[in-house]
Amino acid sequence: MTQAHPAESGPPADFDAIIVGAGFAGLYMLHSLRTMGLSVRVYEQGGGVGGTWYWNRYPGARCDSESVYYMFSDHLSEEILGEWNWSERYAAQPEILRYLEFVTDKMDLRRNIQFNAKVISAVYDSERNSWDLRLEDGSTSSARFLVTAVGCLSFTNTPEFPGIETFGGESYHTGAWPHEGVDFTGQRVAVIGTGATAVQAIPEIAKQAAHVWVFQRTPNYDMPGRNRPLAPDYAAQVKAAYKDLWQKARESGFGLPYQVAERSAVDYSPEERERIFEAAWAKGGFYMGLETFSDFLVNKESNDTVSEFVRGKIREVVKDPAVGELLAPKDHPFFTKRPPLENGYYQTFNRDNVTLLDVRGVPIEEITPRGVRTGGREYEVDAIVFATGFDAMTGALFGMGITGRDGLKLQDKWEDGPRTYLGLTTRGFPNLFVITGPQSPSVLSNMPVVIEQNVEWIAGVIDYMRTHGLNVAEPAQDAEDRWVEHHNEVAAATLLLGTDSWWVGANIPGKPRTLYPYVGGVGTFRVICHEVAEKGYEGLVLARHER
Ligand code: N01
């Protein structure tokens, strides 16, 4: 694990830019702004770099994007791209963390990062055109530009189960896992949740534990990951073709360079469909969603075909038909919640030491000193694993106490849902830039690809301002209104709003229901941002403040 490192000495307070977060986004933003000659300070809450990959150390944690595409492109460094080799098709958390540490050291980024530095307030001062930050330790600093790189899934959500504080055993949230690891050998374990995280963790926990009870509210359409060691010749092929592949990923819908077939499942016979689905299923990964048919998200009839295909696959693997039926989702269409990738998840339910419990029909009543009570029965356990997700997209931003012009708090402005221009800026908050913010493609993509685009666009605005003698950027009201309208229109054309998921904020009581990520596509978003830049950052009001 990386230890806290003192940031380089310099002016105690004033920086050109402050970046919050040292994951993929914060590291690339730091590199970009530093290359432009700006004085930059990164505040990172964790004790090391990595963001998501620093915190999510639960057993089985790995990336669902193929590792060869889950990295920085040559835009950061051709050398790093050439030097780094992944060992598996989907890299596990320790390897991704090692990669980010490698990048940090190679690019000498550590000297501008202050670790264990939690930002608790960030207030814009119009008089000074400055963002004033306060950290949890009471220290303060300020900067002209504030860039948030806090990740979309970093603010953990533990539901307020009655009695939760009375539990006498150990409890863990997957998103804040102990660094020393947890040995479940011989233990009785409750896992609450069956999202992408639980799907990775449960098979590993079941290998150790005496018994695992899985508390499932909603089953998912888990697709086989088919993880395997990465053949060196495959990695070499990708590297040889990386410029083309990365460009393809940048122009794609979801940030992956796959062959997207522009066709509808309803135009094919059941036999032809089956053949296409089987081929994608055999390949494993997101090919099922991305390379089979292109209208799953907008055409329910088409979606029904893939949904039934996946249900059939689940029923085939799980030996107990009643358990198989419970694991087969019927309450929402395929891909309207993030489909997890599984590596042995369904087979795990064939083990004698794993029991699936349905807490949809009979919700969890309470956590007791000895375990979890549902359906009038108490399940006594030694440990509870909360795989209950995150207050996604906005939780971490609100947690920073961001306050814009005239005392406007970000959570007040977004009381009825986010309002942004391109997901990157929001009116009333001059010089605040949000990487992978709500209303940008963010989580509906392979993250490094959109992070790279967001960072380069933000660096572009700042560079443009500097070369034009300007120092304030804020979206115009009409530009923001039009983006929100466009975002909502695109969202409404899909099936996504009809399903309860964290994509629409449904997992957090009281959170406004709206689609948080932009579903118009990574490539489309990129073109829009590029055109905005070409027109002198049209939609942003750029001005000069004399101080
Ligand atoms: O969180 P989730 P996650 N009673 O919100 C259940 C990314 N990710 O950490 O579906 C009972 O998806 C909840 O039930 P329901 C990926 O984008 C990426 O698993 O709301 N159950 C659900 O089953 C993913 O989507 C990778 O009905 C309750 C679970 O808890 C995102 O992270 C790997 C409950 C939460 O699932 C979040 O995944 C892993 C309650 N009161 C994850 N409240 C990579 O590949 C919640 N639940 C990089």
Side-chain angles (χ1 to χ4, degrees):
M1 193 194 89
T2 310
Q3 293 304 309
H5 188 282
E8 84 182 351
S9 57
D14 284 313
F15 301 98
D16 292 324
I18 288 176
I19 299 164
V20 186
F24 269 93
L27 294 175
Y28 189 38
M29 193 78 244
L30 166 59
H31 169 70
S32 303
L33 294 182
R34 216 174 61 176
T35 307
M36 285 162 53
L38 267 65
S39 63
V40 188
R41 168 62 51 96
V42 177
Y43 291 123
E44 165 55 56
Q45 188 175 342
V49 298
T52 286
W53 302 105
Y54 175 86
W55 297 105
N56 284 267
R57 297 171 190 241
Y58 59 86
R62 67 176 66 249
C63 183
D64 284 349
S65 286
E66 289 180 271
S67 45
V68 289
Y69 306 126
Y70 195 78
M71 60 192 305
F72 291 112
S73 80
D74 60 316
H75 285 200
L76 174 78
S77 157
E78 195 139 3
E79 200 183 322
I80 289 177
L81 191 67
E83 273 183 43
W84 187 263
N85 294 303
W86 297 104
S87 67
E88 291 180 275
R89 183 181 186 189
Y90 306 96
Q93 176 270 334
E95 190 174 25
I96 302 174
L97 191 56
R98 276 201 303 282
Y99 167 72
L100 289 171
E101 287 174 348
F102 173 73
V103 168
T104 303
D105 293 333
K106 193 92 187 163
M107 307 303 283
D108 188 22
L109 299 176
R110 221 174 279 278
R111 65 189 158 90
N112 298 94
I113 307 173
Q114 186 175 327
F115 294 108
N116 303 305
K118 182 176 177 181
V119 176
I120 55 165
S121 108
V123 180
Y124 179 71
D125 180 341
S126 311
E127 294 289 309
R128 293 163 39 246
N129 185 28
S130 166
W131 279 95
D132 298 332
L133 272 74
R134 180 174 293 277
L135 305 188
E136 202 172 38
D137 67 6
S139 61
T140 58
S141 64
S142 59
R144 176 125 303 157
F145 300 106
L146 174 62
V147 185
T148 66
V150 292
C152 299
L153 295 153
S154 46
F155 199 90
T156 58
N157 166 47
T158 306
E160 292 175 5
F161 295 110
I164 194 165
E165 68 295 342
T166 67
F167 181 60
E170 297 295 329
S171 54
Y172 311 95
H173 191 289
T174 49
W177 201 259
H179 286 196
E180 62 280 14
V182 180
D183 183 2
F184 289 108
T185 306
Q187 294 197 6
R188 300 160 302 167
V189 184
V191 180
I192 302 179
T194 52
T197 296
V199 164
Q200 294 181 334
I202 288 166
E204 299 306 316
I205 296 173
K207 285 178 195 162
Q208 289 189 335
H211 202 94
V212 181
W213 282 274
V214 177
F215 294 77
Q216 170 187 275
R217 190 165 64 180
T218 313
N220 282 301
Y221 295 93
D222 305 352
M223 299 179 289
R226 306 206 191 286
N227 188 36
R228 55 177 175 260
L230 210 49
D233 59 332
Y234 171 71
Q237 271 172 32
V238 171
K239 280 190 190 186
Y242 79 80
K243 276 195 196 291
D244 283 350
L245 288 169
W246 251 272
Q247 197 49 33
K248 210 168 159 196
R250 292 180 185 117
E251 291 167 7
S252 71
F254 293 93
L256 287 164
Y258 296 168
Q259 300 290 343
V260 176
E262 294 295 336
R263 57 190 182 186
S264 172
V266 296
D267 295 333
Y268 287 73
S269 70
E271 296 73 28
E272 285 168 326
R273 274 200 303 261
E274 195 76 1
R275 189 180 46 75
I276 291 166
F277 287 150
E278 285 290 357
W281 195 257
K283 244 173 154 176
F286 289 119
Y287 292 96
M288 192 69 198
L290 304 181
E291 280 199 347
T292 50
F293 299 100
S294 54
D295 63 344
F296 294 147
L297 292 190
V298 292
N299 182 340
K300 175 72 169 55
E301 212 188 323
S302 172
N303 194 301
D304 286 345
T305 66
V306 67
S307 296
E308 189 47 38
F309 177 86
V310 180
R311 283 192 288 268
K313 287 291 183 192
I314 297 168
R315 292 180 186 118
E316 268 174 33
V317 177
V318 182
K319 288 192 184 134
D320 180 333
V323 176
E325 216 39 59
L326 206 51
L327 286 165
K330 291 156 209 99
D331 71 322
H332 67 281
F334 173 74
F335 229 122
T336 56
K337 286 177 88 130
R338 157 74 145 74
L341 295 195
E342 60 94 15
N343 290 288
Y345 178 71
Y346 291 120
Q347 284 90 339
T348 297
F349 292 92
N350 294 334
R351 296 175 66 114
D352 293 337
N353 70 334
V354 178
T355 306
L356 182 67
L357 299 167
D358 175 17
V359 294
R360 160 75 60 199
V362 191
I364 292 171
E365 288 155 32
E366 59 170 339
I367 308 282
T368 70
R370 288 183 305 193
V372 183
R373 184 186 297 282
T374 175
R377 182 180 156 187
E378 186 182 36
Y379 293 87
E380 286 187 25
V381 293
D382 304 300
I384 301 177
V385 174
F386 292 98
T388 43
F390 302 87
D391 182 352
M393 314 285 300
T394 53
L397 291 173
F398 294 166
M400 279 169 53
I402 298 175
T403 306
R405 229 177 335 101
D406 306 322
L408 179 62
K409 290 194 184 319
L410 189 61
Q411 55 265 59
D412 290 340
K413 166 157 184 183
W414 290 1
E415 195 181 2
D416 298 323
R419 297 195 66 83
T420 74
Y421 179 48
L422 304 170
L424 292 155
T425 61
T426 185
R427 185 164 170 79
F429 298 78
N431 292 348
L432 168 69
F433 296 99
V434 182
I435 304 176
T436 63
Q439 302 181 342
S440 78
S442 58
V443 293
L444 289 179
S445 72
N446 176 34
M447 295 298 275
V449 172
V450 290
I451 285 171
E452 182 182 277
Q453 183 275 336
N454 282 195
V455 166
E456 290 171 4
W457 192 87
I458 293 166
V461 181
I462 293 175
D463 191 46
Y464 181 91
M465 283 199 276
R466 278 158 33 110
T467 52
H468 290 77
L470 306 165
N471 56 18
V472 196
E474 183 182 355
Q477 189 64 58
D478 64 328
E480 180 168 292
D481 292 346
R482 272 185 278 115
W483 182 252
V484 175
E485 196 182 330
H486 167 67
H487 170 88
N488 288 339
E489 244 175 50
V490 179
T494 71
L495 305 171
L496 298 181
L497 284 167
T499 292
D500 284 348
S501 73
W502 64 260
W503 284 347
V504 300
N507 62 329
I508 303 295
K511 191 164 173 171
R513 191 181 182 105
T514 175
L515 185 64
Y516 284 77
Y518 173 66
V519 66
V522 169
T524 307
F525 181 78
R526 183 181 189 81
V527 168
I528 293 169
C529 288
H530 180 71
E531 285 172 4
V532 163
E534 288 284 289
K535 291 178 190 160
Y537 295 94
E538 187 181 50
L540 287 183
V541 179
L542 302 177
R544 167 140 198 99
H545 189 288
E546 285 314 324
R547 292 191 57 171

